[in-house]
Amino acid sequence: MATEKQIRLDKFISEAAGLTRKDAKAVITKGRVSVGGEICKNSDRKVLVTEEICLDGVKLGAAEEFLYLMLHKPSGVVSATEDGRDRTVLDLVREREADETLSKEDLRYFVIGKRELFPVGRLDKDTEGLLLLTDDGELAHRLLSPKHHVDKVYAAKVSGTVPQDAAERFAEGIQVGKDYKALPAKLEVVSTDTQAECAEVKITLHEGKFHQVKRMCHEIGCEVTYLKRLSMGALVLDEALQPGEVRRLTEEEREQLCGEVKRQ
Ligand code: URA
């Protein structure tokens, strides 16, 4: 967008937020757009792109190239963009964006519009917790690349007795079936219930293979009954987000995450 040119407000919103013109008009009419600090419901208004134009209080600029969302994935949805059978995390986020009963605070300021968002990595259908969604393919590639070894921390409930040497075995690298030897990982026992023969553990992995936590726990004689991802690199699940809720990453979170994989 040229900086001095005057353009219609709906055109600006459409380009800067990646919305269709129709959706841009709708957010303007709903009073979600301000120009220079004043709510403007007039789509025809001519604006300079150098003006302070905000959507849900967040300043829009031509520079907003990518969108980064933190989702507290609930159990029961699949980590995919499309699925013929199951509800996906993308369905969930789009439903949430379209939910007119939610306040701006609930939405925590995101607009997907025409963006092609996808989840960064996968959590199993029954796993909860932190899932990053973005349209920044390069960052996603780096975060998932084995070269970068981004730590993923999980909280798990397991049935069975955690063996005494479990932490050592995790630290050495567990052989997972005949398939592979896992990279050294960390296992901490948070609590045990000897009567019920179950425990709560915290596990840190530096890779992300299919069913990895479940399979590693199985190798030490335990079965995962509940699994939640708490963090991925510098990005920590916001405790204020309930399962199913989503928000944009803060600028600080985004910079930390991008910086982390760039540095390595
Ligand atoms: N490990 C698993 O077994 N499942 C997940 O969803 C994530 C890590």
Side-chain angles (χ1 to χ4, degrees):
M1 261 183 262
T3 48
E4 292 308 318
K5 216 172 79 186
Q6 281 207 322
I7 61 169
R8 285 172 57 102
L9 183 57
D10 57 353
K11 184 169 187 325
F12 174 86
I13 295 293
S14 162
E15 288 179 12
L19 292 176
T20 61
R21 195 61 92 79
K22 186 163 163 252
D23 288 343
K25 283 192 169 101
V27 293
I28 294 167
T29 312
K30 281 184 194 160
R32 291 172 64 183
V33 172
S34 64
V35 179
E38 299 283 322
I39 297 289
C40 176
K41 294 187 178 180
N42 176 10
S43 294
D44 303 334
R45 172 158 168 190
K46 293 279 187 349
V47 291
L48 284 170
V49 296
T50 46
E51 284 182 271
E52 186 175 85
I53 300 170
C54 298
L55 174 60
D56 295 337
V58 175
K59 187 174 185 299
L60 291 175
E64 180 129 290
E65 199 179 354
F66 299 117
L67 180 64
Y68 304 89
L69 297 178
M70 176 190 290
L71 170 69
H72 186 162
K73 179 192 171 297
S75 175
V77 291
V78 295
S79 303
T81 50
E82 282 180 19
D83 190 281
R85 208 181 50 186
D86 288 310
R87 189 163 165 238
T88 69
V89 288
L90 246 291
D91 294 333
L92 191 156
V93 171
R94 285 196 180 279
E95 283 160 24
R96 203 158 169 85
E97 188 190 32
D99 186 343
E100 301 210 342
T101 65
L102 294 174
S103 69
K104 283 188 224 164
E105 282 68 34
D106 288 328
L107 281 172
R108 291 170 217 220
Y109 319 131
F110 70 86
V111 178
I112 303 173
K114 288 184 285 186
R115 290 178 187 274
E116 296 194 357
L117 286 187
F118 54 87
V120 179
R122 279 168 189 265
L123 291 178
D124 296 338
K125 187 174 168 186
D126 60 356
T127 301
E128 292 182 6
L130 175 68
L131 192 64
L132 174 68
L133 294 138
T134 186
D135 50 351
D136 181 348
E138 188 171 334
L139 178 73
H141 175 74
R142 286 181 194 200
L143 286 169
L144 297 175
S145 153
K147 199 175 98 194
H148 291 292
H149 297 314
V150 172
D151 284 3
K152 287 128 200 139
V153 181
Y154 297 88
K157 290 183 185 161
V158 297
S159 62
T161 305
V162 180
Q164 291 282 329
D165 63 351
E168 274 166 61
R169 289 173 62 191
F170 265 62
E172 278 162 14
I174 296 251
Q175 178 63 39
V176 179
K178 289 194 182 122
D179 298 344
Y180 62 92
K181 187 171 171 165
L183 288 177
K186 191 168 163 190
L187 177 137
E188 295 159 83
V189 177
V190 178
S191 67
T192 39
D193 182 336
T194 36
Q195 234 172 9
E197 285 196 4
C198 61
E200 288 183 0
V201 295
K202 199 166 162 187
I203 291 170
T204 306
L205 300 184
H206 310 293
E207 54 190 341
K209 296 204 160 79
F210 187 58
H211 291 336
Q212 191 166 354
V213 170
K214 291 173 184 165
R215 294 190 73 190
M216 286 170 76
C217 288
H218 179 76
E219 293 296 336
I220 58 162
C222 296
E223 297 305 325
V224 172
T225 55
Y226 171 81
L227 188 59
K228 176 177 180 180
R229 181 155 66 192
L230 304 176
S231 64
M232 183 162 114
L235 190 63
V236 179
L237 179 66
D238 181 345
E239 286 301 322
L241 282 185
Q242 297 304 308
E245 288 187 346
V246 60
R247 68 155 169 81
R248 291 164 71 109
L249 294 198
T250 62
E251 219 166 293
E252 197 186 342
E253 285 170 335
R254 215 173 53 208
E255 277 169 12
Q256 274 185 347
L257 198 64
C258 294
E260 191 169 37
V261 279
K262 263 192 202 131
R263 272 201 308 275
Q264 292 170 359

